[in-house]
Amino acid sequence: MALSLRQRLRQWGRRAGTPMSPATPRPASAPTLDIGAPDRPAVPGVSVDIAQLNALESAARDFHFTPGQPVHSVLAGRHGSRVRGRGLAFEELRQYVAGDDIRSMDWRVTARTGHPYVRVYTEEKDRPVLLVVDQRINMFFGSRRAMKSVTAAEAAALAAWRVLADGDRVGGIVFDDTSMATFAPKRSRAAVEQFLGGVVKCNAGLRADVSARRVPGQLNLALERCARMATHDCLVVVISDFDGHDATTRQRLLSIAARNDVLTVLVHDPFLSALPQSGSLVVSDGELQVELSFGDTSMRHSIREFFSGHGKHLVDWHRAIGVPMFPLSAAEETAGQIRRFLGGAPAYGNGYRRAKGGAAR
């Protein structure tokens, strides 16, 4: 049976002869995130500010969260995103869900079955996009270009600006270890800037001088809230390292994917896959920590083996539940990776999107 991070920490601590030390609990905060301006300037690679995220608008090009992706795109094949709306091509007949347009009601089927049914048509006219952004303490790690939390914030900004440019509504959920903020999908620059302000405020709470208690359950709480917002026909993009995922995480993702398109972005840092030959590292699970020496060959091998297996487990886990996922490295430029993985959809003039009111390709 695979060992948990805490069990591994205890094992490595005994081997290194270094006692485990408790981490100081993080001060409690309000359950709802205050999205006011942060009280300190951003440090490049360590934190972000609203100006940096707004500047990414110009980089949000050559990729789309829509159908018509090339074959090498992560959204191609059986994971292709199928946008539903009131278009020309019949898509399916399904039971009425609160929020459906009553004009799409199929009264004959409704009368025959005794339950309200609506007719759904394929179209790329309008689709809300929800971005679930992880800013917990486990995201506050980076060995080269940026912290995972910064990479997640950049990915969220790029996605938000791209969705707005495509004319769709965008909103989402930003959460840390103790709080989360919800933003209803809207189609306006002000709404995007408000959402990114929430990301910045949450990101500013991650500091090296603040001891935080790891709360794995926040991911499931964020997905639960997302499930209430994404009733049907939304695109949900979850940007996280998926620390603390469990059977509940799986069930909530499957529940969301049953009525929506879901894309997961696995943010990671490559440091632990290529450990140095010397030096040391303080490893913590948010409650206990231990200093590990890289000079010990067996210790280095054990660490590399554990985190390699952890990464493979996450990839296999996403594949098993049928939700498309692409890894996003904190050591590389974010926009370039997104363009590479999403494939760079063809331009509007090449039949990518037909005239408004027509059926999507």
Side-chain angles (χ1 to χ4, degrees), residues 2-26:
L3 297 178
S4 66
L5 177 57
R6 167 162 291 201
Q7 291 171 320
R8 281 289 187 178
L9 286 176
R10 294 187 183 280
Q11 182 185 84
W12 291 335
R14 288 193 297 268
R15 184 184 302 175
T18 306
M20 300 284 291
S21 58
T24 305
R26 185 179 187 181

Side-chain angles (χ1 to χ4, degrees), residues 153-168:
E154 292 173 343
L158 287 163
W161 289 122
R162 182 65 263 166
V163 170
L164 182 65
D166 284 342
D168 290 322

Side-chain angles (χ1 to χ4, degrees), residues 212-236:
R213 187 181 184 87
R214 175 175 166 269
V215 184
Q218 280 290 94
L219 174 60
N220 289 339
L221 291 177
L223 292 177
E224 179 183 15
R225 184 174 295 189
C226 178
R228 293 198 297 268
M229 295 176 65
T231 54
H232 63 90
D233 302 333
C234 296
L235 170 63
V236 176

Side-chain angles (χ1 to χ4, degrees), residues 241-254:
D241 64 357
F242 290 89
D243 178 66
H245 72 279
D246 54 19
T248 301
T249 313
R250 171 192 173 98
Q251 185 57 43
R252 288 183 179 166
L253 279 175
L254 286 173

Side-chain angles (χ1 to χ4, degrees), residues 66-69 124 345-355 359-361:
T66 49
Q69 300 286 349
E124 196 183 330
Y348 294 120
N350 295 329
Y352 164 68
R353 177 178 290 194
R354 297 184 182 178
R361 183 161 61 102

Side-chain angles (χ1 to χ4, degrees), residues 127-331:
R127 173 179 58 171
V129 177
L130 294 174
L131 306 174
V132 182
V133 188
D134 188 349
Q135 292 288 294
R136 293 174 295 167
I137 192 62
N138 47 277
M139 298 288 287
F140 194 61
F141 177 82
S143 61
R144 301 180 194 176
R145 188 192 72 90
M147 297 291 191
K148 293 191 295 183
S149 53
V150 169
T151 298
E154 292 173 343
L158 287 163
W161 289 122
R162 182 65 263 166
V163 170
L164 182 65
D166 284 342
D168 290 322
R169 291 176 289 152
V170 61
I173 298 170
V174 186
F175 66 100
D176 59 17
D177 290 284
T178 57
S179 60
M180 64 182 66
T182 303
F183 303 86
K186 297 180 181 178
R187 189 187 296 104
S188 71
R189 176 174 294 274
V192 171
E193 292 181 345
Q194 184 182 30
F195 171 73
L196 296 182
V199 174
V200 168
K201 184 64 178 181
C202 213
N203 179 267
L206 298 174
R207 304 193 304 270
D209 59 348
V210 174
S211 297
R213 187 181 184 87
R214 175 175 166 269
V215 184
Q218 280 290 94
L219 174 60
N220 289 339
L221 291 177
L223 292 177
E224 179 183 15
R225 184 174 295 189
C226 178
R228 293 198 297 268
M229 295 176 65
T231 54
H232 63 90
D233 302 333
C234 296
L235 170 63
V236 176
V237 182
V238 185
I239 308 172
S240 174
D241 64 357
F242 290 89
D243 178 66
H245 72 279
D246 54 19
T248 301
T249 313
R250 171 192 173 98
Q251 185 57 43
R252 288 183 179 166
L253 279 175
L254 286 173
S255 176
I256 295 172
R259 293 183 177 272
N260 306 275
D261 294 321
V262 178
L263 174 66
T264 56
V265 180
L266 177 61
V267 185
H268 68 96
D269 187 277
F271 175 73
L272 292 170
S273 63
L275 297 173
Q277 300 295 318
S278 60
S280 62
L281 174 71
V282 176
V283 182
S284 172
D285 67 346
E287 298 181 20
L288 299 174
Q289 63 186 28
V290 62
E291 183 176 358
L292 306 177
S293 172
F294 296 140
D296 185 336
T297 304
S298 62
M299 175 73 71
R300 198 166 60 248
H301 175 74
S302 179
I303 296 173
R304 184 168 54 246
E305 185 181 58
F306 173 74
F307 284 97
S308 175
H310 179 67
K312 183 179 183 300
H313 166 71
L314 283 173
V315 173
D316 291 344
W317 180 76
H318 281 83
R319 184 179 295 118
I321 64 178
V323 172
M325 179 275 293
F326 72 80
L328 186 62
S329 173

